[in-house]
Amino acid sequence: DFPSLQGTSSESGLLDIMSAGIDKGTGLAKFLELTSLSPEEVCVMGDYENDLPMFERAGVGVAMGNACESLKQRAEFITKNYYEDGVAYAIEHFILQER
């Protein structure tokens, strides 16, 4: 009933509603445009299929340990789950280890 809107779900009980044609990938594309960063300079993290468009535009996709299998298959790195501080673990792996 609302053609200008679209919805996506990341898991049971959650619903994201946004303008039609917009997803995390288009958001990342706009971010890259505004910052003049290249995709290779960007690392993204996610856990559900709604993160796939973002993974397609980023240089590095990191799947959380609790991520769905389709996202894990597209990831360059799989970190720990969010209960085990997976975001911090990925930051340590990609940023702090290089110093």
Side-chain angles (χ1 to χ4, degrees), residues 7-52:
T8 184
S9 178
S10 55
E11 66 178 288
S12 178
L14 296 180
L15 177 64
D16 298 333
I17 299 174
M18 64 211 75
S19 294
I22 301 295
D23 57 31
K24 291 183 179 186
T26 56
L28 179 56
K30 185 65 174 178
F31 172 79
L32 294 173
E33 177 187 322
L34 293 172
T35 61
S36 300
L37 291 172
S38 70
E40 294 76 25
E41 296 175 286
V42 176
C43 175
V44 297
M45 297 181 207
D47 55 0
Y48 290 104
E49 289 182 352
N50 65 331
D51 296 312
L52 283 167

